[in-house]
Amino acid sequence: AQSVTQLGSHVSVSEGALVLLRCNYSSSVPPYLFWYVQYPNQGLQLLLKYTSAATLVKGINGFEAEFKKSETSFHLTKPSAHMSDAAEYFCAVSGGGAQKLVFGQGTRLTINP
Amino acid sequence: DSGVTQTPKHLITATGQRVTLRCSPRSGDLSVYWYQQSLDQGLQFLIQYYNGEERAKGNILERFSAQQFPDLHSELNLSSLELGDSALYFCASSEMGDSSYEQYFGPGTRLTVT
């Protein structure tokens, strides 16, 4: 079975500050890992994905994530937060024979001016 | 815009009723997934179809069923609705059925059961 834990249901940062959203996963098979963003009243948009190539993955809107197998982590970062980054962020895992995505509970990111 | 369309956007219905949610995948995508998003359960996988065939099943209630048609659009049927079925229902599509392929999500259908 696979699972995802997102540490912190709510993260608040100042505009221009570093964004760090934490994600730890559990998987008995080599995982594929994804970060999605959900803006209010919208669907989920893929930010980036890890599929066993480079461990540092760059995504859209200046976000990146690093896969660390030893720590079973896939934390999402952005060097400088922008007001438009305010949204809910979901980490998800899939892999092996399971095509479904298993999502974490989400982290709501608030940006303070 | 992900290219995945879902109708209707909102649906309000009464307990005991039956509804059908519709999803059109991105052009060229063969696989369709249904997810339910609720405050207490979060985002939960319901079911996957690949090129018309059921490929995987998740936490889908027996009162719920789905199918994928030859033109690859999919419908999720929810019957004997209960208050607890109120949620956002997302459809996603991917090019293939392999887990490494990213899934593109539609805007969702918000179901309210009164």
Side-chain angles (χ1 to χ4, degrees):
Chain A
Q2 296 175 307
S3 66
V4 171
T5 302
Q6 290 184 240
L7 301 174
S9 58
H10 194 180
V11 169
S12 183
V13 303
S14 298
E15 192 175 17
L18 171 72
V19 175
L20 171 60
L21 304 182
R22 299 177 190 273
C23 170
N24 287 89
Y25 69 91
S26 172
S27 178
S28 57
V29 296
Y32 300 119
L33 294 158
F34 305 82
W35 275 99
Y36 282 86
V37 60
Q38 185 179 26
Y39 298 100
N41 300 313
Q42 292 188 30
L44 283 80
Q45 180 184 9
L46 179 69
L47 279 177
L48 49 80
K49 71 172 185 178
Y50 166 78
T51 56
S52 76
T55 56
L56 183 62
V57 181
K58 293 190 185 299
I60 62 170
N61 301 339
F63 285 94
E64 63 181 39
E66 187 172 7
F67 172 71
K68 291 187 177 180
K69 185 178 178 180
S70 61
E71 298 177 10
T72 59
S73 69
F74 190 56
H75 302 330
L76 182 71
T77 60
K78 182 174 179 177
S80 177
H82 192 272
M83 296 299 290
S84 60
D85 295 328
E88 185 111 22
Y89 291 79
F90 292 92
C91 181
V93 65
S94 69
Q99 284 100 35
K100 65 178 182 180
L101 289 170
V102 175
F103 286 91
Q105 284 298 103
T107 297
R108 183 169 298 278
L109 177 64
T110 302
I111 312 296
N112 302 311
Chain B
D1 186 351
S2 67
V4 179
T5 60
Q6 290 186 248
T7 56
K9 204 173 176 65
H10 301 278
L11 202 47
I12 301 175
T13 189
T15 54
Q17 295 298 304
R18 182 180 191 274
V19 297
T20 297
L21 313 184
R22 183 188 167 100
C23 166
S24 292
R26 291 189 324 156
S27 177
D29 284 358
L30 298 177
S31 199
V32 169
Y33 308 76
W34 286 97
Y35 292 86
Q36 179 194 59
Q37 185 179 32
S38 62
L39 280 174
D40 52 345
Q41 297 290 324
L43 269 159
Q44 298 277 322
F45 167 74
L46 296 177
I47 197 163
Q48 178 204 2
Y49 278 82
Y50 176 75
N51 204 19
E53 300 286 327
E54 182 183 304
R55 176 66 70 93
K57 226 169 185 175
N59 300 324
I60 187 165
L61 300 171
E62 282 192 18
R63 300 183 284 108
F64 296 0
S65 65
Q67 53 184 325
Q68 186 179 28
F69 295 85
D71 67 352
L72 300 177
H73 91 271
S74 177
E75 292 181 357
L76 179 67
N77 301 296
L78 315 176
S79 62
S80 303
L81 285 167
E82 302 175 359
L83 295 177
D85 297 327
S86 295
L88 253 177
Y89 290 85
F90 286 110
C91 167
S93 73
S94 67
E95 187 179 336
M96 303 292 283
D98 185 87
S99 50
S100 66
Y101 284 81
E102 54 263 44
Q103 296 178 27
Y104 294 88
F105 282 73
T109 293
R110 183 172 294 280
L111 173 66
T112 303
V113 182
T114 61

